[in-house]
Every structure is written in structure tokens, then in C-alpha cells.
Amino acid sequence: MKKSKYDGSFYLNPYLGGAILGTVLLLSFYLSGRGLGASGAVKNTVAATVNIIAPQHVEQSAYYSQFAGGDKKPMSNWLIYEVLGVLAGAFISGIVFNRLKLKVEHSPKITSRRRLLFALAGGLVFGFGAQLARGCTSGAALSGMAVLSLGGYITMVAIFGTAFVVAWIFRKNWI
Amino acid sequence: MIGPIISSGIVSPAWDPIFAVILGMGFGFALESSGFSSSRKIIGTFFGYDFVVVKVFFTAAIVASVGLLYLNYFGLVDFSQLYIQPTFLTSAIVGGVIMGIGFAMAGFCPGTSLCAAAVGRIDGLVFFGGMFIGVFIFSESFSFIENMFYSGSQGAKMINTAFGISPELFTLFLVLAAVGMFFGAAWVQKKVKKVEY
Amino acid sequence: MERKYTILAILLIVLALGLVILPKEKRQKEIDPKLLLSAVIENSRYLSVDEVTHRIIENDPTLMLIDLRPGDQFKQFALSGAINIQTDSLLSASTLELLNQPGKDKIWYANSDLISEKAWLIATRHSVNRIYIMKGGMNEWFNTIIKPGDVSNTASSADLDRLSFRNAARRYFIGAGQTPEMPIAKKTPEKVNFIRKAPEATSGGGC
């Protein structure tokens, strides 16, 4: 374990963290036959919300109707339960490693406001892309790589390749 | 017991949500304790000052792939019962590029933003909120993107068949590439100026 | 520190190398005869023609229809999206690869059940999962879907529903107003490893 610089909190050795993550992923395939994910829970929540506000709209939409409306239960989904677990697990880790703190984390060179605007815009863009690619870094890329899915590898290369280029454009936000 | 436990009918499907919560907790704990709740630690990969993403991500991928193939070899898991994401070339590439842009702007991906929100990072929460808007926009404009969404279909294709090699051989190459990357990352990290975060 | 990582890296590479070197025969194990017997006794392998037709019309992405009839009959008319497999090539490497595609329900049919039953048994012994038989084969399909029978006055509402579904299905396959004598093939399916453009399964997987 390595001591971080200023707040006395600990990070696991990244290889140990990766091995734990890989084991959890392996168990997920062994127990439930599927990989881990995160953005699918957002998709189902959005569909469930729209279904409450405008049920006819869900019936007509070629996208929502795949997982909401009728007798489908978008909120009673594996990914929803899993995401609740993620929140709990991260919270426990936050307690264990003394990292619980309400704050906006950003580079000292930018304001909190700018950081939050970029976080919002980034989330919006990411949400859109995750739907198009049928999954995010965990659902499509990581879980897909574990079962050697071609699409998982393509998505992984596309995400990291693009992020390398775009991070350089936005470098003033970070370093 | 032959996995996947749920689809082989050994335990009742009612256990699935319980497994989901427990697995989610493991997932969240692994991400947070590796430092994925900090966007500045994550983004370090792209500037060379912290390669935690590369290390954790690829270690997890090779542990899971090698593990799955061993489980398959010893007959403990039935590969054909696993969910394999279908491949749609166009949407995988375009979606991946769009996600890359979002990643570089915010320094989070959905799973890590949840972890950040869980330990009180407001930017993580805001990112997660932004995703709802993005998903909503996607769903509402689905009729315009539907063609792209379904184009380039390859079925549930596996990457080793695309190269015409066995899954085991591909995994060996993957492990070699990952190990090479780990040593490369350690080398770069020594060269690059430290960034305090 | 460096040495510790080197050892770990070598360990991983050896593990992965082990996968490549381990003999493969063990994996092509035949199914346990007891399991096979219980699978033979159980009738869940049969799907009615109505169920199959329903799934064709709904463009079910998990559906994989396999036509076991001779090639010339297949060319004349086949269910849409079906793949023609000759019984003699059932155990060829390319067929087994096709059959072992994950996430697909393989549904056999021939003219009657005779050939499908045998093919089902052989493939099940080779540990191919999710194989079903369209009960009655092509003859039954033609009789129920293309030539729906008359309905009696005392028919229950479920019977009426089934009849109207079959009428709709007939229009789907041969077009409205066509006489049932000459079914027209929707398209001439080709004898290739056919991967249909599949809509995403309902909220399945993904993140």
C-alpha cells in the first residue's frame, strides 16, 4: 500500500486492485453468467421515469419499448441491484481508507464551477455514447474483454484512443 | 457446480438480485480502493503521471479472461451460457469515440463516477446526473440513429475468431501485451514530471 | 519492488501459456448417458409450429432455424432465415462452430420429426445446448399456418385467437389473397453461415 500525498488516505496497490476487480468480474460470470456494468442502470432508470410521466410515449418509442412499458419492470433489473451494491461497496472503501469527504475535486488551476460544468457535459456525452455502443467502460469494454468479445475490444480501443487525443486538447483542465 | 449458477438452475433465480448486490459491492470496493474515485488520478494515464487506470483495468481483464478459460477447461463454467455482447461495428466505434470525448472532459466513466459520488465527490454526482440527460437525448433521438445503431452487425463474435486463432492463444498474446504495457508504464512514469493531486 | 513484479508477470505468462499447452481432448467430452436419458424423456425440446412462427414474425434475435431437408427442397421453400444443414455434415467442424454460437436457440425442422429427432440426439450428445425441434416439421407447419382449418361454433376464445394469429401469419408468409396451394418463398435463403441483423435483446446485459 502506498501513502497518498496529502490526506493520509491509502490506495491499494493497483495490481492488487486489478486482481480483486478481475476476480469479482470472474465471479459475476460464474454466478450470474454476465459481466459487470453501470450505465445500463441509468438507461433503465430513464426509461422507468419516462414510463411514469408519459406511458404512451414509451409504447411508441422504438428504444424505450425494448425495456420499459407493458409488463416489463425496468427498475427490477440485475444492473440496478448491482449499481446499488457499487455505491455501498465504494462507501465502505471510503470509510476503510478514510476518503469520505464532501468536495469538488479539481485542478488548482481551474474553478469548481468550471470543473462541475465539464463533469456535467462529460457525463452527458458519455451517457449518449454508452447507449450507442451498448455499454460503457465496464459493461462493454471490461466485461467484453473478459469473454473475448470483438465488440468489447473495439469499444475499449475507441474509448482510450480518443481520450488520449482529447485529453491533450483539454489539458488546461488537468495539469 | 457448473456455472453460470443462475442459468444452470442450481439455485433459484431469486438469488440473482442478491448476487448482483454482493458483486456490485465487490466492484465498488475494488474501484474505490484502487483510487478510481479521483478523476485526477484516473486522467493521469493520459498525461503519464499516474497509470493506475491501465494497471487496474488490464490486470482485471487478464485475470478474468485467464480465469474464465481455466474454469471452462475444467468444466466449471459453460462458455456458451455466458452473455456475450453482440458486435455492431459502426456503433461500437462511434459510441467508443463519443465516450472517449466524455472521458477526457470529465475524467470519469459511469462506474467510477458512482464510486466518486459514494465518497462525497460532487463532481462525480454531477457526472452521473449528466449521464441521465445524455441517455434521455439518445432515447429521444433514437429514430434518427436507429440505422447506425444496427449497422455493421457481426453477431456475438469473438475476437479470436476474427484473428483466426484459438481463445487460449489470444489470451496468451493479451497477457504478454498487458505485461509489456505495465513495464512500459513504469518506465514512462519515471520520466514524466510528477503532478501533485 | 521491481523483482516482485517480474515474478508476478512471469507467473501470469506461465498460467496463460498453460492454457495453450494443455491438451484439448478433455473438452470434447460427450454428455453423461444419464443426463442424455433424462433429456430424451423430457418433452421440453418440442416447440409447436405456432410458437416458432411467432418468433419468426417477431424477428427474435435468439432464433436460429435449421433446415435438415435435402438441398433442393430447401431451395424451393424454406422458413425465412433458416440455414440448410445436411445430416451428413452435422458433425463437421464448421457446423459445430455454428451450433455452438452462444445465445441462440437452435430449432431443427425437416419434413417430419424423424430426422430432426436423430439430429437432436446426435447434437445433444456432442454437448450442443439449446436445441429444439419444431413439432411435426414442415408438413405440420404447412398444414397449420398455410392451410388454417375451419373453426367450429363452440370454439373457445383461445382457439379463435390462435386462428386469427394463423391467418395473420399466413398473410405474412404468402401475402394477402394468395391461394394456399402455391406458397411463395419470402426470399431465397442461401446456404451460408447466416448471421441476421438482430435487434438488441431486451435490456439484456451491457452496462
Side-chain angles (χ1 to χ4, degrees):
Chain A
M1 283 187 203
K2 172 179 108 180
K3 207 164 189 199
S4 144
K5 281 123 207 157
Y6 65 91
D7 58 359
S9 58
F10 288 96
Y11 291 120
L12 283 188
N13 178 305
Y15 298 111
L16 178 62
I20 296 175
L21 182 55
T23 313
V24 172
L25 184 57
L26 190 61
L27 269 177
S28 171
F29 278 112
Y30 182 65
L31 294 175
S32 296
R34 53 183 301 160
L36 301 161
S39 67
V42 178
K43 172 180 81 177
N44 283 43
T45 313
V46 168
T49 316
V50 176
N51 193 28
I52 291 166
I53 298 167
Q56 304 96 325
H57 183 60
V58 168
E59 295 294 331
Q60 285 155 11
S61 159
Y63 196 63
Y64 290 134
S65 58
Q66 290 175 17
F67 36 80
D71 49 4
K72 299 190 188 75
K73 295 196 192 75
M75 289 313 280
S76 174
N77 181 280
W78 195 90
L79 283 166
I80 301 273
Y81 294 113
E82 186 239 37
V83 157
L84 293 175
V86 169
L87 281 173
F91 188 72
I92 293 169
S93 166
I95 296 171
V96 172
F97 296 104
N98 188 25
R99 259 194 298 274
L100 288 185
K101 194 181 175 197
L102 201 62
K103 66 170 179 184
V104 180
E105 191 183 303
H106 60 87
S107 159
K109 288 173 195 159
I110 59 169
T111 60
S112 289
R113 200 182 131 88
R114 183 177 162 91
R115 167 68 191 139
L116 288 180
L117 276 177
F118 266 91
L120 184 71
L124 194 155
V125 172
F126 211 118
F128 190 94
Q131 293 312 298
L132 187 56
R134 297 169 172 78
C136 62
T137 17
S138 29
L142 184 59
S143 305
M145 282 171 75
V147 289
L148 307 181
S149 148
L150 178 63
Y153 279 87
I154 293 172
T155 310
M156 186 270 294
V157 171
I159 294 176
F160 283 101
T162 314
F164 257 106
V165 178
V166 182
W168 189 80
I169 298 172
F170 290 118
R171 66 191 176 283
K172 288 216 171 65
N173 285 350
W174 302 105
I175 53 172
Chain B
M1 286 201 282
I2 297 170
I5 299 289
I6 290 295
S7 36
S8 59
I10 297 167
V11 296
S12 132
W15 276 88
D16 216 15
I18 299 166
F19 287 158
V21 172
I22 296 169
L23 291 164
M25 285 175 72
F27 186 33
F29 187 90
L31 287 180
E32 212 288 329
S33 57
S34 310
F36 276 27
S37 59
S38 159
S39 59
R40 300 194 64 211
K41 199 167 165 63
I42 293 174
I43 213 79
T45 298
F46 304 118
F47 300 108
Y49 62 79
D50 193 331
F51 282 103
V52 65
V53 172
V54 173
K55 291 171 186 167
V56 173
F57 190 86
F58 281 94
T59 311
I62 56 181
V63 166
S65 327
V66 171
L68 268 179
L69 285 174
Y70 269 106
L71 287 181
N72 184 44
Y73 182 82
F74 291 113
L76 287 171
V77 77
D78 184 354
F79 222 87
S80 64
Q81 293 281 324
L82 301 181
Y83 176 79
I84 294 179
Q85 190 98 335
T87 300
F88 293 84
L89 281 182
T90 323
S91 61
I93 295 170
V94 177
V97 167
I98 294 174
M99 279 193 273
I101 297 170
F103 193 16
M105 284 167 80
F108 282 130
C109 67
T112 58
S113 76
L114 268 174
C115 294
V119 294
R121 302 296 179 267
I122 299 161
D123 41 339
L125 195 64
V126 168
F127 178 93
F128 202 68
M131 275 180 45
F132 283 87
I133 307 173
V135 173
F136 183 71
I137 295 175
F138 177 87
S139 311
E140 292 303 323
S141 54
F142 185 66
S143 47
F144 301 106
I145 11 186
E146 195 169 357
N147 274 335
M148 192 214 278
F149 190 67
Y150 289 124
S151 72
S153 171
Q154 305 274 313
K157 194 169 184 179
M158 288 170 67
I159 188 161
N160 57 290
T161 34
F163 287 124
I165 55 175
S166 73
E168 291 81 11
L169 192 58
F170 178 81
T171 309
L172 177 64
F173 286 138
L174 179 69
V175 170
L176 289 175
V179 168
M181 218 161 0
F182 296 153
F183 282 101
W187 182 76
V188 172
Q189 209 165 339
K190 267 185 212 154
K191 302 259 161 189
V192 171
K193 177 175 70 122
K194 285 272 177 293
V195 174
E196 288 294 320
Y197 57 92
Chain C
M1 210 56 177
E2 280 292 316
R3 178 179 294 163
K4 195 172 77 187
Y5 288 137
T6 316
I7 295 169
L8 276 175
I10 292 171
L11 189 73
L12 253 171
I13 293 170
V14 169
L15 271 175
L17 203 63
L19 276 175
V20 179
I21 298 168
L22 281 172
K24 297 288 177 293
E25 293 90 86
K26 209 182 159 196
R27 317 242 244 116
Q28 287 299 329
K29 229 174 20 182
E30 285 203 354
I31 189 170
D32 179 3
K34 278 182 192 152
L35 283 175
L36 185 64
L37 180 67
S38 65
V40 169
I41 294 167
E42 210 193 335
N43 278 328
S44 62
R45 64 178 177 280
Y46 295 116
L47 292 178
S48 74
V49 283
D50 285 320
E51 281 169 291
V52 176
T53 310
H54 215 112
R55 291 176 70 169
I56 297 174
I57 293 174
E58 289 203 323
N59 259 332
D60 186 339
T62 61
L63 177 72
M64 184 199 253
L65 281 166
I66 294 167
D67 192 318
L68 295 162
R69 298 172 307 157
D72 50 329
Q73 288 184 25
F74 176 77
K75 283 202 190 75
Q76 254 173 17
F77 180 75
L79 299 183
S80 20
I83 306 159
N84 192 206
I85 291 176
Q86 299 300 316
T87 32
D88 53 1
S89 65
L90 197 60
L91 292 181
S92 72
S94 63
T95 310
L96 281 178
E97 189 186 339
L98 186 73
L99 293 179
N100 279 319
Q101 268 188 58
K104 295 269 185 193
D105 287 339
K106 277 72 68 173
I107 301 177
W108 309 110
Y109 67 89
N111 281 325
S112 68
D113 281 346
L114 204 64
I115 296 175
S116 325
E117 282 281 5
K118 287 176 185 163
W120 179 88
L121 196 65
I122 291 167
T124 306
R125 274 188 70 175
H126 275 79
S127 306
V128 180
N129 289 313
R130 297 171 72 168
I131 344 175
Y132 301 90
I133 295 168
M134 185 169 85
K135 184 90 184 124
M138 216 40 192
N139 290 336
E140 178 72 14
W141 186 82
F142 193 78
N143 284 334
T144 35
I145 304 297
I146 304 300
K147 290 196 280 198
D150 287 326
V151 71
S152 68
N153 291 332
T154 55
S156 67
S157 66
D159 282 340
L160 288 171
D161 281 353
R162 199 174 304 131
L163 190 76
S164 69
F165 166 71
R166 286 175 184 167
N167 282 333
R170 185 173 68 241
R171 283 195 293 279
Y172 175 87
F173 282 101
I174 62 176
Q178 298 271 1
T179 48
E181 270 72 49
M182 275 298 292
I184 296 156
K186 283 275 293 176
K187 54 185 167 194
T188 344
E190 283 168 15
K191 193 180 170 181
V192 287
N193 287 8
F194 181 86
I195 294 163
R196 187 148 31 93
K197 179 185 117 172
E200 192 182 25
T202 32
S203 70
C207 110

